[in-house]
Amino acid sequence: MSNDPLTIGMLGYRFMGKAHSNALERLPMFFPEAPEVERDVLIGRDEEAVAEAADRFGFDRTSTDWEEVVDEVDVFYNLGPNAIHADPSIAALEAGASVFCEKPLAHTLEDAERMRDAARNAEGTAGIAFNYRFIPAVQYAKNLIDAGELGEIHHVRGQYLQDWLADPSSPWSWRNDEEVAGSGALGDLGAHTLDLARFLVGEQAGDLTRLSGQLQTFVDERPVPGEDGGTLSSGGGDSTETREVTVDDAYSAQAEFENGAMGTFEASRFATGHKNDHNIVINGSKGSLRFSVERLNEIELLTEDDRGFQTILVTEEDDPYIDRWWPAGHIIGWEHTFVHENYEFLTAVAEGEDHTPSFEDGYRVQELLEAIERSDERGEWVDVS
């Protein structure tokens, strides 16, 4: 293993670019044994905007063309829209770099398959950013489930509820475009829930084998935002230019696990009053647990001899990752999940090992997303490929 810093190239500088750059900044302070990194190049189409972001995020230089720099870095972070996950990631892997890609793995199953195959044949490490796996309370819950504390798994219920598109006047964005995003709430939110379910109960219940899905779009077109943040006028009085919404606003699915357990999943961007309510409930023969990202330092647990649920604050020093942060009871936040996953991924890169969740995991989730869409189109239960 080389002692030289890992050079980082990062495609994307908005929401996820900020989250991962913050994680890279925090790593040396709280995980001093983490591999040293050099934030080399930040990549984006808008030269002025990417230069401003590079100054804030601590990158040495910028580029407006990923093809010019993808073979110049040790680690390539692909944080762009879903439709540009495949080609840059594959090119980076073929150039010998390790790749960390935001979820979902791609905007189509075919592109996800290409990425999975490229990772299988690559020398570098490939990982996908399912950051909710790295919440201490989620890791604590997985340890309980794997230890058999809940017994045989019977039910898995997962929801991811937001309301940022509930207002029909909320502006159109690339997340409303099937050609760029692939899907709406299904891929953006459902990918997280399906991966979390597989992560938590996979050892006990097996994988998802068949399902029945439904997709719904509530608003068919949205106003186009202008450069000043307002909406573009078409010049016809009070009328506003709009664009068609070509993805789902919500999905639901019934599913079956290998052991016969039932899965119930849904996500919505129209769940009024819910900002980032990602929750999961697991019922077993000996107990149950509940978890919500909006209370991410806690799990609610019922075990065999309990009369009711107890709330467990997962902030003790021996809880996963907590010894790196604050004394017991001093809670951590959403941004810390990115620190944890970057630590695990970059450590795997430095040691030349595989990372979990991998592109294989991302592909498996993509199969589930495709199966839900296929079920909705056919109006029937379908087997997962």
Side-chain angles (χ1 to χ4, degrees):
M1 182 175 67
S2 172
N3 292 322
D4 295 333
L6 295 170
T7 55
I8 305 293
M10 185 175 289
L11 171 61
Y13 56 87
R14 298 192 185 277
F15 184 19
M16 287 298 103
K18 184 184 295 185
H20 286 283
S21 296
N22 175 68
L24 295 176
E25 179 72 19
R26 301 278 80 78
L27 271 178
M29 184 182 301
F30 294 98
F31 292 79
E33 78 281 16
E36 185 178 354
V37 300
E38 176 186 333
R39 280 165 277 174
D40 181 21
V41 56
L42 189 64
I43 308 157
R45 291 177 299 178
D46 187 323
E47 187 172 0
E48 182 176 343
V50 76
E52 188 274 333
D55 287 340
R56 287 190 292 116
F57 297 167
F59 281 82
D60 296 334
R61 59 189 176 117
T62 65
S63 175
T64 57
D65 186 352
W66 61 264
E67 293 183 275
E68 294 180 352
V69 297
V70 73
D71 60 350
E72 298 175 357
V73 297
D74 298 318
V75 185
F76 181 73
Y77 280 66
N78 193 334
L79 314 179
N82 306 339
I84 59 172
H85 283 183
D87 289 343
S89 297
I90 292 170
L93 289 169
E94 290 178 344
S98 293
V99 175
F100 197 59
C101 186
E102 264 299 332
K103 60 79 212 165
L105 189 58
H107 74 310
T108 66
L109 183 61
E110 291 75 17
D111 271 355
E113 184 176 16
R114 291 171 54 216
M115 295 174 71
R116 180 204 63 186
D117 292 347
R120 285 177 175 177
N121 298 322
E123 294 184 3
T125 301
I128 184 170
F130 286 126
N131 62 301
Y132 293 126
R133 289 192 182 204
F134 298 94
I135 297 172
V138 169
Q139 298 262 333
Y140 184 91
K142 177 174 173 54
N143 290 339
L144 289 175
I145 296 167
D146 287 351
E149 292 295 320
L150 300 190
E152 182 181 358
I153 304 302
H154 292 154
H155 295 282
V156 180
R157 302 178 184 88
Q159 295 178 314
Y160 204 147
L161 307 178
Q162 297 179 344
D163 68 357
W164 61 281
L165 284 179
D167 183 351
S169 66
S170 295
W172 185 95
S173 75
W174 68 264
R175 295 183 185 275
N176 300 121
D177 186 350
E178 184 180 17
E179 291 297 316
V180 181
S183 62
L186 174 63
D188 188 29
L189 306 179
H192 271 306
T193 308
L194 294 167
D195 177 73
L196 200 57
R198 296 183 68 246
F199 174 65
L200 286 171
V201 306
E203 293 294 323
Q204 298 293 319
D207 219 329
L208 292 154
T209 58
R210 68 186 191 108
L211 54 80
S212 172
Q214 178 187 9
L215 305 177
Q216 185 65 271
T217 301
F218 299 113
V219 174
D220 294 328
E221 57 183 28
R222 291 188 175 276
V224 177
E227 293 183 2
D228 60 356
T231 54
L232 295 176
S233 172
S234 63
D238 295 331
S239 62
T240 299
E241 183 180 343
T242 63
R243 288 192 65 172
E244 183 183 5
V245 174
T246 54
V247 299
D248 58 283
D249 289 321
Y251 91 94
S252 65
Q254 302 292 315
E256 184 178 17
F257 289 84
E258 287 180 63
N259 77 332
M262 298 176 65
T264 305
F265 305 104
E266 66 172 320
S268 177
R269 294 165 170 171
F270 274 69
T272 309
H274 297 265
K275 301 306 175 186
N276 195 45
D277 186 5
H278 188 195
N279 63 80
I280 195 159
V281 178
I282 300 170
N283 305 126
S285 60
K286 295 168 56 178
S288 298
L289 65 81
R290 301 189 291 232
F291 168 78
S292 172
V293 167
E294 291 188 341
R295 302 178 69 91
L296 62 73
N297 290 270
E298 301 174 358
I299 64 166
E300 293 180 90
L301 177 66
L302 180 142
T303 54
E304 201 165 18
D305 297 326
D306 294 332
R307 294 184 61 181
F309 281 88
Q310 58 177 317
T311 299
I312 299 175
L313 188 63
V314 187
T315 63
E316 296 295 327
E317 185 176 354
D318 58 353
D319 289 331
Y321 300 115
I322 293 298
D323 63 317
R324 307 309 183 95
W325 300 106
W326 322 119
H330 294 68
I331 61 176
I332 64 171
W334 177 83
E335 71 276 11
H336 295 84
T337 67
F338 291 84
V339 181
H340 301 159
E341 73 171 349
N342 275 271
Y343 168 71
E344 299 290 0
F345 173 70
L346 292 170
T347 300
V349 171
E351 296 179 353
E353 297 180 349
D354 293 334
H355 172 75
T356 302
S358 64
F359 276 20
E360 294 279 351
D361 293 303
Y363 176 76
R364 182 58 177 165
V365 169
Q366 200 86 38
E367 284 189 312
L368 297 172
L369 302 178
E370 187 274 340
I372 291 170
E373 292 181 321
R374 184 158 35 95
S375 172
D376 177 68
E377 292 172 357
R378 296 182 182 179
E380 62 185 14
W381 282 79
V382 299
D383 292 330
V384 180
S385 299

